[in-house]
Amino acid sequence: RYCGNITDIQFGGGIKTIGFNSFGSCSGLTNLNLPSSLETIGHSAFAMCKSLSEVVIPDGVTSISGEAFHSCKAMKTVVLGKSVGSMDYGVFANCESLETVILPSSLISMGENVFIGCNSIKSVSCGAMTPPAAPMSSFTDAAYATAALIVPDDAVDSYTQSQWCWSLFANLRGESAGISDAAADGVEVKVVGHNVVIEGDKNGPSVSIYSLDGALVYRGNDSVISLSNRGVYIVTVGGNTCKIIM
């Protein structure tokens, strides 16, 4: 807590819980690699880490306590792992730069004000077939008016008619979410909406994405990559190659 000089945290194996305010106000933290063994994230665990730009929650995490990442002012991307069932109040509140949110099919409920104060959100992808219980205060009026809510094709009517916050999104559409036909060495490549999501340990420093005609469309080390055009792409991650359909 209040360790302003920490820029990177590497966790040892076997860690299951990150407790209350463990790394709160670590203002220099830019890189966060949460361990695959993690199951719960405590209240305010990474609150006010103002330099943290993205967070990918591991697949073993089932719940995130209140205000765990609130006021992370630089955060642009949030990806929740496939086991998260609930988020308590204000988990990502006042992350004012947040643009992309990817929620898993396992999500059942969200508390009050989870994304309140996040006025820059451009897209929210939710893989749950049943709309999660989420109060109207979950997002801001700006998000409801301008952000795209992307849900499974067969669930569009359920979200549109939901008693929860989802029905407030003016731009709600359905898309099929694809999973790559190859996942090796702990690396999984997912397609969620217009985003390519890289999960697991990478064997190399970079991700490369090519169109079918061989043109390079992306190279870098982001774990979430937005592609504007539909089509078939070839993704290479640390020597592993797979084909995805956007």
Side-chain angles (χ1 to χ4, degrees):
R1 185 182 179 189
Y2 296 112
C3 296
N5 294 326
I6 292 179
T7 60
D8 181 85
I9 300 174
Q10 299 293 330
F11 294 91
I15 293 176
K16 293 186 177 182
T17 300
I18 297 175
F20 170 76
N21 211 12
S22 295
F23 299 97
S25 299
C26 290
S27 57
L29 182 63
T30 58
N31 187 35
L32 181 60
N33 294 304
L34 296 172
S36 59
S37 58
L38 192 64
E39 296 177 357
T40 59
I41 299 175
H43 190 287
S44 302
F46 297 96
M48 295 185 286
C49 292
K50 65 181 183 180
S51 300
L52 189 62
S53 62
E54 72 171 27
V55 61
V56 177
I57 305 298
D59 285 341
V61 173
T62 58
S63 64
I64 307 174
S65 297
E67 300 184 336
F69 294 91
H70 86 81
S71 301
C72 292
K73 300 295 187 181
M75 187 175 292
K76 290 189 174 183
T77 303
V78 168
V79 180
L80 268 61
K82 62 184 180 182
S83 299
V84 174
S86 64
M87 289 189 287
D88 209 341
Y89 66 92
V91 171
F92 297 101
N94 298 317
C95 292
E96 58 190 27
S97 299
L98 186 61
E99 296 180 353
T100 302
V101 177
I102 300 178
L103 306 174
S105 59
S106 57
L107 189 64
I108 297 172
S109 65
M110 302 196 315
E112 297 276 351
N113 300 328
V114 169
F115 294 100
I116 203 69
C118 302
N119 290 316
S120 299
I121 293 178
K122 295 180 179 179
S123 70
V124 178
S125 298
C126 186
M129 289 298 297
T130 300
M136 303 303 183
S137 64
S138 297
F139 296 87
T140 65
D141 289 343
Y144 290 133
T146 62
L149 173 60
I150 304 165
V151 302
D153 279 328
D154 294 340
V156 169
D157 287 346
S158 295
Y159 279 82
T160 301
Q161 300 167 17
S162 172
Q163 63 178 309
W164 305 110
C165 71
W166 315 107
S167 60
L168 297 179
F169 280 87
N171 181 11
L172 191 161
R173 66 177 187 267
E175 287 191 5
S176 297
I179 297 179
S180 70
D181 55 8
D185 297 329
V187 177
E188 187 173 14
V189 181
K190 297 180 179 180
V191 177
V192 182
H194 286 282
N195 298 302
V196 180
V197 181
I198 312 296
E199 294 184 349
D201 295 326
K202 294 185 285 184
N203 294 330
S206 67
V207 177
S208 298
I209 302 178
Y210 301 87
S211 62
L212 278 185
D213 61 6
L216 179 68
V217 297
Y218 173 84
R219 177 168 289 160
N221 56 10
D222 294 321
S223 57
V224 179
I225 303 123
S226 294
L227 299 177
S228 57
N229 296 321
R230 296 179 182 273
V232 180
Y233 295 89
I234 305 299
V235 181
T236 300
V237 188
N240 299 317
T241 300
C242 65
K243 180 173 65 175
I244 60 170
I245 300 173
M246 182 70 67

